[in-house]
Amino acid sequence: MLSRRRWDAVVALGSLVILAGLLLPFRSDDMTRMVVAVAAVALFVVGYAVAGRPAIGHVALVDLAAGSGFGGGDGVGIGPVAAWRFPVFLAVSAVAVGVGAAAVPFMAMLQTLAYPLVWVVGDTRRRGIAGSAVIAACVFTGTWLGHGADADSALAGGATGVFSLVFAIAIGLWIASIAEWGEERERLLADLTAAQHQVEALSRERGAAAERERLARDIHDTLAQTLAGLVIFAERAGRQSREGQTDAAATTIATVEQVARDALAEARALVARTASVPSEPAFGAAIERLVDRFRAHGATRIDLDATGLVGDLDREAQVVLLRCLQEALSNAMKHAGARRVGVRVAVAAEGAAELSVTDDGRGFDLAQPGRGFGLDGMRERVSLAGGEFAVVSTPGAGTTLEVRLPATTAIDRIEPLLPGGAA
């Protein structure tokens, strides 16, 4: 609906046009009737200024079950500020239109201002229809009296009143539907904006959670594993030193130094948000270096089969396979007590990759809930890459871990969406 200032302009312009028509082409020779007609226009303007204008844009307090405003409800009451304004404005408008039309028939034109304002000030369909009926009745009465109060004037007044009433109700309902649509659109837009803000907040939270999980996996698979190896080597060096094995202790200390350098490189890689993988350009060399590190941890024999490395593997897939291999070897040595571990890595020409790690350790019951983060972390990492992860284990009969990655990993699509980009 129009704002108050626009309605001020409409009422002022409409009143001036009616006065101009009254004083020029439709002028009456009876000065009394002219004075009454001008007074009727003034009365209408005063009624608008005192009672009608303050109610425009006023939010009605209506029955929530019936709806509000032009939304379809009939409204059982309005707030205390506007409670008296509609009936007062309707009464003033009806008197102005009726008396003006009775004085000078041309004054029936005042209904062109009264009808729309009744709908706007009334603020509900019921008030709009009822107010239009009152205005139409006054138009009929004023026209009937103004034309001589006979049968012909009754017919003319009735036709004018009925036609104006039907037209006013039709236009009022149409305007009400437009206002209802506008209010609904504004509400939906507000809901959509709120939903977008909520989605953005959830996306940020989800991204932050995913980043924390990624960092937890990387720390577990890199620094935690390397630091665990440092502890083992440090204990071995201390034992050898106490037993007088000077050369063996020196060799172990050199290994500690190398592992510590590796841990430093891994930490720097994490800080730089790059994969904590060995610096060799060839994936096969990185696999061999990782296996050699675990061979130096103890007496476990590790057999590596890397003859299937035919195709090139993207960096994200390399990270997944290296982390899974590192975790699998750590589990085989620390938890399974394996004497022999077989590792097979294959990369097809189209980029699909497979990793298989089999040990002869004590195994475990897959039905029992896991107590560590390793298997869950590997499974989640492989799932994010769009691959398949499987573990086969029997108590006392060893464990086999298998990882299969497709040619194009899902990480290419997921990690750029996370805060900070790819891992």
Side-chain angles (χ1 to χ4, degrees):
M1 303 305 288
L2 297 179
S3 64
R4 291 181 179 179
R5 291 186 177 180
R6 293 184 178 181
W7 277 115
D8 292 345
V10 169
V11 172
L13 181 60
S15 300
L16 290 176
V17 170
I18 293 174
L19 287 175
L22 178 64
L23 297 176
L24 296 177
F26 301 97
R27 180 182 180 87
S28 175
D29 295 333
D30 190 339
M31 291 304 298
T32 302
R33 289 179 176 270
M34 289 292 296
V35 172
V36 172
V38 173
V41 176
L43 177 63
F44 179 84
V45 173
V46 172
Y48 164 76
V50 174
R53 185 180 186 278
I56 296 177
H58 177 69
V59 179
L61 302 177
V62 298
D63 188 350
L64 295 179
S68 63
F70 285 126
D74 289 329
V76 297
I78 57 179
V81 175
W84 57 272
R85 297 191 184 278
F86 174 71
V88 169
F89 174 74
L90 178 60
V92 171
S93 300
V95 171
V97 173
V99 172
V104 178
F106 172 74
M107 284 297 298
M109 288 294 297
L110 197 59
Q111 65 184 318
T112 58
L113 295 177
Y115 279 127
L117 284 172
V118 164
W119 281 84
V120 172
V121 176
D123 200 32
T124 64
R125 282 187 170 90
R126 173 179 292 178
R127 290 191 178 89
I129 295 174
S132 297
V134 172
I135 297 296
C138 291
V139 170
F140 165 75
T141 303
T143 304
W144 176 61
L145 294 175
H147 283 82
D150 52 16
D152 292 337
S153 61
L155 180 60
T160 302
V162 171
F163 176 79
S164 62
L165 176 62
V166 173
F167 183 78
I169 292 177
I171 294 297
L173 293 176
W174 178 63
I175 295 175
S177 64
I178 293 177
E180 177 185 357
W181 177 83
E183 293 174 359
E184 180 67 13
R185 182 176 179 275
E186 184 178 359
R187 185 188 65 80
L188 292 176
L189 182 60
D191 292 344
L192 178 60
T193 303
Q196 289 176 339
H197 291 323
Q198 185 176 7
V199 169
E200 291 175 0
L202 292 176
S203 298
R204 288 193 296 269
E205 293 176 1
R206 184 176 181 85
E211 180 70 1
R212 288 193 295 269
E213 293 176 1
R214 184 190 68 81
L215 289 175
R217 288 194 303 268
D218 286 346
I219 292 174
H220 176 272
D221 295 342
T222 56
L223 293 179
Q225 298 288 355
T226 305
L227 292 176
L230 282 175
V231 172
I232 294 175
F233 284 126
E235 292 176 349
R236 181 188 300 177
R239 184 174 63 255
Q240 292 171 342
S241 178
R242 288 191 298 270
E243 294 175 355
Q245 302 177 19
T246 307
D247 294 339
T251 301
T252 303
I253 290 175
T255 303
V256 170
E257 181 181 356
Q258 181 59 43
V259 174
R261 293 181 184 275
D262 293 341
L264 179 60
E266 291 169 348
R268 288 173 175 172
L270 285 175
V271 172
R273 293 189 180 277
T274 58
S276 304
V277 298
S279 59
E280 289 85 351
F283 178 57
I287 292 289
E288 292 179 359
R289 185 167 186 261
L290 180 60
V291 170
D292 289 341
R293 181 190 301 176
F294 277 92
R295 283 171 176 164
H297 282 193
T300 302
R301 177 178 175 180
I302 303 177
D303 298 326
L304 174 62
D305 179 9
T307 57
L309 296 178
V310 178
D312 295 329
L313 200 61
D314 61 83
R315 187 181 67 85
E316 287 78 13
Q318 292 182 27
V319 173
V320 173
L321 292 184
L322 285 172
R323 294 295 169 262
C324 290
L325 176 58
Q326 183 176 9
E327 180 65 24
L329 291 177
S330 177
N331 289 341
M333 297 182 64
K334 292 194 302 183
H335 304 302
R339 295 184 301 273
R340 185 169 182 173
V341 179
V343 177
R344 186 180 67 84
V345 184
V347 178
E350 66 275 10
E354 293 184 2
L355 169 66
S356 176
V357 181
T358 303
D359 66 67
D360 60 354
R362 61 178 62 94
F364 62 94
D365 187 0
L366 294 174
Q368 297 295 325
R371 293 177 296 176
F373 180 76
L375 289 178
D376 292 338
M378 284 190 287
R379 182 177 290 105
E380 183 175 358
R381 185 184 291 275
V382 173
S383 176
L384 288 175
E388 299 178 0
F389 177 83
V391 177
V392 178
S393 183
T394 302
T399 300
T400 298
L401 180 146
E402 294 182 351
V403 175
R404 294 182 179 86
L405 297 180
T408 302
T409 65
I411 295 180
D412 296 332
R413 300 183 299 271
I414 295 176
E415 289 196 343
L417 301 177
L418 299 178

